[in-house]
Amino acid sequence: MRIGYRGLVCMLAVWLLAGVGCMEAQAQQKNANWDVGLGLGLSGFTGDLNFAPLPQTISGHVQGLIRYNLSPMYALRADLQLGGLNAIYYPGRYYLPGGPVGNKRYFHTPMLAVDAGVDIHFLPFVINSLTGGKVNPNAMTPYVTAGLGGMVVFNNGGGFYIPMGGGVKFALFDRFTLAGELRFLKGFFDTADRYKNWPKPTKGHHLHNQDWVSMLTVSLTYRFVVEGHVCPAYQTK
């Protein structure tokens, strides 16, 4: 299963236009539900050239994030990630039938990923500007997240993936939210490292052998609060 460059560009355009359009509509309704921000982090790869749960090498990524807060317990989100993937094959750790393609023991390539999903909070979460100047009892929460996305691994294909993971959100001063997050992107493709379907490269489509990307990210978002009526779900006593 693959997604072409044109398809991912269309997805990106829809992601951006939807975010801008929804922010404008929400502003007209005088609500306070939209977070927009950026993140930075480390990326790891698990696949045929790194057949281990933990990545042996790391790369970096930047993240664009739009989040729509349905209530203090739930939020919808859209993510854009741009970064790199790399891995190295150590023959002493495990046997790779036939060896790496072209005898290349190391690969590094850029990737672009877009996904949409949901955050589920374990505790109610409210930003500080919605508490009326009072001490915020809902300024921190752990959460889990999951969704669906598409990735382009440049020169090495790509396809759809399921992002899943969790993290912790903190309400900073005024309208800012700081979040630390660990996500795993479960790919429905096995071509990122140019080696396919170990241990049987010529047979079938093995879900357990497909590529994984791990992402550890710290993000900072800003809440667009428009003067007027606050969403009832966020009103505090």
Side-chain angles (χ1 to χ4, degrees), residues 100-122:
V101 176
N103 293 320
K104 292 184 178 180
R105 300 182 184 274
Y106 176 82
F107 88 98
H108 177 78
T109 184
M111 70 88 183
L112 176 65
V114 178
D115 58 70
V118 60
D119 290 349
I120 302 175
H121 303 158
F122 289 101

Side-chain angles (χ1 to χ4, degrees), residues 44-220:
F45 173 80
T46 297
D48 296 309
L49 291 191
N50 175 40
F51 201 66
L54 297 177
Q56 302 296 313
T57 60
I58 59 174
S59 186
H61 67 270
V62 295
Q63 176 195 55
L65 174 63
I66 297 175
R67 189 163 51 223
Y68 179 75
N69 297 276
L70 297 170
S71 75
M73 299 298 297
Y74 302 97
L76 302 178
R77 60 186 287 173
D79 296 81
L80 168 68
Q81 291 89 200
L82 176 63
L85 299 179
N86 57 46
I88 188 168
Y89 169 57
Y90 295 104
R93 288 194 294 117
Y94 63 94
Y95 173 65
L96 189 62
V101 176
N103 293 320
K104 292 184 178 180
R105 300 182 184 274
Y106 176 82
F107 88 98
H108 177 78
T109 184
M111 70 88 183
L112 176 65
V114 178
D115 58 70
V118 60
D119 290 349
I120 302 175
H121 303 158
F122 289 101
L123 300 170
F125 181 74
V126 177
I127 62 170
N128 291 335
S129 67
L130 296 181
T131 61
K134 300 178 181 179
V135 175
N136 187 358
N138 305 121
M140 186 278 292
T141 183
Y143 67 96
V144 293
T145 184
L148 180 65
M151 180 186 301
V152 167
V153 181
F154 292 90
N155 301 318
N156 293 2
F160 293 101
Y161 65 88
I162 296 177
M164 49 190 168
V168 182
K169 295 178 183 179
F170 301 91
L172 299 184
F173 54 91
D174 196 27
R175 307 177 187 179
F176 290 93
T177 298
L178 179 69
E181 179 178 85
L182 176 62
R183 290 204 303 166
F184 298 94
L185 314 185
K186 168 58 177 175
F188 290 93
F189 52 90
D190 188 33
T191 57
D193 53 10
R194 299 184 182 179
Y195 196 93
K196 185 175 178 62
N197 286 341
W198 183 88
K200 297 178 180 179
T202 60
K203 293 184 179 181
H205 192 69
H206 304 283
L207 285 175
H208 66 284
N209 286 333
Q210 293 174 343
D211 297 331
W212 289 74
V213 177
S214 53
M215 289 186 164
L216 181 63
T217 310
V218 176
S219 64
L220 182 67

